[in-house]
């Protein structure tokens, strides 16, 4: 908990001076909210329990979840800030008997997997790329901390007993992003976050097409691919979530 709380406070401290610069028009802000519809796949295991497939054993299927992001570009040598929240909660029923830790749950027991992901990134734009392309192309590089909040819950269909286990895992990531402005108010963007450390492996790829509607408002559609491997606090998971998303937002 202390490891990622410090990062959160540091990001907040960086954003404070940006408020005064915003009054001078020196800050660029982009925010968006939308929906993400991933297809879940992969394996889940807790402690000495069985390894179970998300779809064929745990009974999870496609869902639609909210997502939000905020990007703030600050002046001078102050690093830019990128915040993103991606909560997900899948519910299903076991298709067969399953061992969760030391407990065994009967077929048709209710299952729930909550995977909330929070990204806090600091980045810089690569110098002279925009100047060389007359403002049409942008390239960013930086560092990101992804906090993965994972919680698994099962309620036995016979005894009605419930077991819940959770963990909070901060993972450092590298961040690369690119933006290409097209004609007619369209733009194409791509973001990649990822790193393989001793206790986790995260690969996140986002592609979006944006269209500026009027003033600072825009709409966007895209595709998102998330690979989450965690081996921490008795959780051993290798999960993939991929699917389309849509969002509305503002940029000024």
């Amino acid at each position: 908990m202390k490891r990622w709380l410090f990062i959160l406070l540091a990001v907040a401290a960086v954003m404070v001076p940006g408020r005064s610069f915003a009054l001078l028009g020196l800050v660029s802000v982009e925010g968006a909210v939308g929906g993400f519809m991933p297809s879940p796949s992969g394996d889940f295991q807790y402690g000495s329990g069985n390894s179970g497939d998300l779809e064929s054993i745990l009974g999870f299927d496609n869902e639609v979840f909210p997502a939000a992001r905020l990007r703030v570009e600050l002046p001078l040598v102050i690093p830019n800030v990128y915040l993103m929240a991606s909560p997900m909660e899948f519910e299903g029923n076991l298709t067969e008997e399953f061992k969760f830790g030391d407990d065994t749950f009967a077929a048709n027991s209710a299952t729930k997997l909550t995977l909330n992901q929070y990204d806090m990134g600091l980045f810089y734009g690569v110098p002279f790329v925009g100047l060389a392309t007359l403002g049409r192309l942008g390239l960013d590089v930086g560092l990101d901390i992804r906090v993965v909040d994972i919680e698994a819950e099962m309620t036995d269909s016979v005894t009605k007993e419930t077991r819940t286990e959770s963990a909070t895992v901060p993972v450092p990531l590298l961040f690369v992003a690119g933006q290409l402005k097209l004609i007619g108010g369209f733009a194409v963007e791509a973001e990649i976050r990822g790193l393989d450390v001793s206790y986790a492996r995260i690969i996140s790829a986002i592609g979006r097409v944006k269209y500026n509607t009027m003033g600072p408002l825009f709409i966007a559609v895209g595709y998102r691919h998330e690979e989450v491997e965690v081996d921490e606090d008795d959780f051993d998971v290798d999960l993939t979530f991929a699917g389309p998303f849509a969002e509305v937002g503002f940029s000024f």
Side-chain angles (χ1 to χ4, degrees):
M1 183 70 71
K2 292 181 179 179
R3 286 183 294 179
W4 66 267
L5 182 58
F6 172 80
I7 299 296
L8 178 61
L9 294 176
V11 170
V14 168
M15 294 183 67
V16 169
R19 297 184 63 184
S20 60
F21 284 117
L23 298 177
L24 301 176
L26 299 178
V27 172
S28 175
V29 180
E30 178 174 299
V33 295
F36 173 40
M37 188 176 71
S39 298
S41 62
D43 299 312
F44 168 89
Q45 182 177 357
Y46 182 80
S48 60
N50 302 124
S51 177
D53 181 80
L54 293 191
E55 295 177 287
S56 63
I57 296 180
L58 299 183
F60 299 145
D61 203 350
N62 296 11
E63 302 277 357
V64 178
F65 304 107
R69 61 186 181 90
L70 178 66
R71 175 187 169 109
V72 182
E73 296 186 14
L74 300 169
L76 306 176
V77 297
I78 303 174
N80 305 313
V81 178
Y82 201 135
L83 305 177
M84 185 166 62
S86 309
M88 293 185 287
E89 184 177 276
F90 295 92
E91 295 184 351
N93 295 91
L94 291 177
T95 60
E96 61 184 57
E97 187 177 88
F98 185 78
K99 188 178 180 183
F100 179 30
D102 299 326
D103 298 329
T104 299
F105 290 81
N108 205 40
S109 294
T111 61
K112 181 187 295 186
L113 178 66
T114 302
L115 189 74
N116 296 328
Q117 300 183 93
Y118 307 100
D119 286 272
M120 296 165 282
L122 301 177
F123 70 94
Y124 287 101
V126 176
F128 307 118
V129 172
L131 183 63
T133 59
L134 301 179
R136 290 194 172 273
L137 180 64
L139 183 62
D140 305 316
V141 294
L143 298 175
D144 186 276
I145 292 291
R146 172 166 292 187
V147 179
V148 180
D149 278 339
I150 183 170
E151 181 179 281
E153 178 183 298
M154 293 191 184
T155 301
D156 194 271
S157 59
V158 178
T159 65
K160 306 304 179 182
E161 293 183 357
T162 297
R163 178 169 181 177
T164 303
E165 300 291 346
S166 62
T168 298
V169 184
V171 185
L173 304 176
L174 300 177
F175 169 71
V176 178
Q179 309 88 33
L180 176 62
K181 294 181 180 180
L182 306 175
I183 60 174
F186 285 93
V188 177
E189 300 180 350
E191 302 172 10
I192 298 177
R193 298 169 177 83
L195 199 62
D196 190 343
V197 294
S198 61
Y199 59 90
R201 174 181 175 271
I202 302 287
I203 299 294
S204 173
I206 298 174
R208 78 170 58 84
V209 177
K210 291 171 52 178
Y211 175 67
N212 291 324
T213 56
M214 62 178 67
L217 303 179
F218 68 83
I219 57 175
V221 295
Y223 192 85
R224 183 170 177 176
H225 181 89
E226 300 280 342
E227 298 179 13
V228 181
E229 293 184 25
V230 173
D231 186 4
E232 183 86 344
D233 293 339
D234 287 331
F235 280 94
D236 187 1
V237 297
D238 184 355
L239 312 175
T240 298
F241 306 96
F245 70 88
E247 61 184 21
V248 295
F250 65 90
S251 178
F252 59 84

